[in-house]
Amino acid sequence: MDINLGMSENCLAGMKVVDLSQFEAGPSCTEALAWMGAEVVKIENPKGGDPMRGAHDDVYHHYQFLQYNANKRSVTVNLKDPRGLELVKDMVRTADVVVENFAPNTIERLGLGPDELMKINSGLIYCRIKGFGVGSRFEHNLAFDMIAQACGGLMSITGDEDGPPCKPGASLGDSGTGMLLTVSILGAYIRKLRTGQGELLEVAMQDAILHYIRNAFTYMESSGKVAPRSGSRIVGGGCPPNGAYPCKGGGANDFVYIYTSFANPEHWVRLLRIMGREDLIGDTRYDNHGRTERRAEVDAIVSEWTRQQDKITAMEILGEAKIPAGAVMDTRELAEDKNFIERGIRQTIQHPQSGEYTMSGWPVRFGGSTLPVTRAPLLGEHNIDVLERWLNLDANAITALQGDNVIGENP
Amino acid sequence: MDINLGMSENCLAGMKVVDLSQFEAGPSCTEALAWMGAEVVKIENPKGGDPMRGAHDDVYHHYQFLQYNANKRSVTVNLKDPRGLELVKDMVRTADVVVENFAPNTIERLGLGPDELMKINSGLIYCRIKGFGVGSRFEHNLAFDMIAQACGGLMSITGDEDGPPCKPGASLGDSGTGMLLTVSILGAYIRKLRTGQGELLEVAMQDAILHYIRNAFTYMESSGKVAPRSGSRIVGGGCPPNGAYPCKGGGANDFVYIYTSFANPEHWVRLLRIMGREDLIGDTRYDNHGRTERRAEVDAIVSEWTRQQDKITAMEILGEAKIPAGAVMDTRELAEDKNFIERGIRQTIQHPQSGEYTMSGWPVRFGGSTLPVTRAPLLGEHNIDVLERWLNLDANAITALQGDNVIGENP
């Protein structure tokens, strides 16, 4: 299969975004806009830029920066200089969207809060991400992804049944919040195209987590019990088999997930056939209710079969038999699976500092193609390009601003 | 604070969605569209509808249905009747968006696949969610949320360091995928408003998980090591303190999360002051690098302090001192915290069958207000309303269709 990169990145052609965000929550949102064709200009501190860029030898954060800032432009502006602030305001006058996720009150102290900016551009969609919502007793507290995952209830339902709370490996407090904001921005933008109206959008990372754990609330509300941690099983444990069952090899991720849906009793019957346990077909002791009562026994029956298979073979056999199942894959197995590259889910970029780097792009396909990934910008890479096009400044004016340290040097 | 429900639900006024989806991944997407004002018509089987509605006495799935289908309309159509299929096609002719998440090949067998429907409406945005991507060797396999979380790498990085893989409590394979599709639909719709162009959008739940675990990939690529499970700590363990530390009470969720950011060394200094350990301020054995080497010792120092506090007090003290921290909250604590209701993050609906029910709404605030939640529809509740408005059918024609079992009865 050829790598098929489509032209659907022009969906948001014409949308202009002033991106004052940093780390992950804000950048994951503006990157999604950039992938669909918005022009996203990241305003960065000339001294180091987004903290996510990390120090010079910090490869981990360098790669994270690449992951969350593809397809954007970078302009370095000194926000401690009044002329720097004016430059940003001039950009905002022509923009559709501003996104910020500074610590509480930081942007107001800079004079770039919603009151100021929505006054100079009544059609502006001003977006902010904070840890806790306006009106929450914690609204002035600092937060990062993991704080939101703790306070939003997600850690209380993640981990082994008898173990301590765990943090899901996904950064749902950051990227999960970022996606909800992206949806909201596009909704507001569609109305703006119709009416010219701007909007103030605010999302708290704690509140965003509540959106993603709605099943845990329904579990509690229907059972009367606090939603517990359930290991690899569904919230509250559910009806077995459901969970990660051990496979041949015995490695940390040699497991296959098997789920027999409440909505389709055939899954269990099919599984019994695969396991050579036709003797249990139709046995009412093993209907949905019975299996829930006999969890240990059911899990033992299933494990006896899974232990004889390697996880991929198990997945193939079960998948073929139309039983929902999947191998627990680790990051290396996924990175080495060329199919993700063939399908454009992961794409390789060339970076002047780090050479070739393969990263995840936007996973939704448009017309059978994925949106092309362009490498994240160097710090200040688009100073000239953007200030010329957006503000009609000429080369001399830009050089003068650089001489006065209002904007940063070109890389 | 009064509950403040805004009027921003009109963002997507005029957008018409034919919703053929079920369970959670598709419905979470179309619900987001409905909250912002799209008219979402859920096409359901007259015999029971969306399997998520559950059986009559299945309160858990009843509540789940309410959670994922607010603000939508329900029309019951018998898709086994050719006239039922024609009705759906007539609706699609006037629609902007179709969403489906049936098992592989089901919609094609019904004759409602993208080839058919995009032919009768060239401006249609046809959306599909599957477990595995087109071109994946597993593309015909069944999948649910948990299968995607296993195959997408998320379970391999969730759980205790020495324990088995765990499933995050959030249904990221479903709602996480749904949000990525929502973003894409709105992007395509914005282009459609400009050009009239339709689009085929496809997302695989496995691929969507890769989007949410990008930090784990950067960990692996920078360290050379497969991203491991790290308990409550950040991917790969990070620099301590980071994690859920035990508090007074000793209950399952009596923990406070503390995170001292790599980007701000002051967090650690502030924490030392709070803990009365000023003796360690400036001690290079406890810089970022040193603390990573001395994890057990650092965790012991921090735990000694946290064990003397209850989790809320700890959060207050740490928050006041500008240290990123948060209590591990459980579902009951969140449900009982009236602040979420005051801020409109959770809203109470009246349901003819289940009475009063409080559920999570869309967490992003528009102009200081949250979007109002309207209860999920009864099965077939909008048969007359929608068929009259969308297809100009009169009452007699609708009654005749019901008599022929082409559409279902009214509730």
Side-chain angles (χ1 to χ4, degrees), chain A residues 328-365:
Chain A
V328 172
M329 305 296 284
D330 69 30
T331 47
R332 176 153 296 148
E333 290 165 329
L334 292 168
E336 289 180 351
D337 183 344
K338 293 284 174 269
N339 184 255
F340 291 103
I341 294 174
E342 289 164 3
R343 295 190 293 112
I345 301 304
R346 288 171 56 77
Q347 295 178 33
T348 301
I349 56 165
Q350 300 293 334
H351 191 276
Q353 285 153 1
S354 42
E356 210 165 73
Y357 178 65
T358 299
M359 57 174 278
S360 301
W362 184 249
V364 183
R365 293 158 71 104

Side-chain angles (χ1 to χ4, degrees), chain A residues 64 137 215 221 224 316 357, chain B residues 64 137 215 221 316 357:
Chain A
Q64 283 202 300
R137 58 190 287 217
N215 295 347
E221 289 146 3
E316 286 168 349
Y357 178 65
Chain B
Q64 282 202 301
R137 59 189 284 217
N215 295 347
E221 289 147 2
E316 287 168 349
Y357 179 65

Side-chain angles (χ1 to χ4, degrees), chain B residues 71-121:
Chain B
N71 297 50
K72 300 182 191 173
R73 296 188 166 88
S74 168
V75 170
T76 43
V77 181
N78 179 1
L79 298 181
K80 289 184 181 149
D81 186 310
R83 290 165 67 196
L85 287 173
E86 278 311 312
L87 264 187
V88 172
K89 287 185 184 172
D90 287 343
M91 295 179 69
V92 167
R93 275 179 238 276
T94 77
D96 300 293
V97 178
V98 164
V99 179
E100 70 97 2
N101 66 338
F102 284 108
N105 300 317
T106 304
I107 197 101
E108 286 83 355
R109 278 200 302 268
L110 285 170
L112 299 175
D115 288 350
E116 284 88 348
L117 298 192
M118 295 178 81
K119 207 179 293 168
I120 64 176
N121 178 349

Side-chain angles (χ1 to χ4, degrees), chain B residues 234-246:
Chain B
I234 62 171
V235 59
C239 169
N242 87 79
Y245 292 88

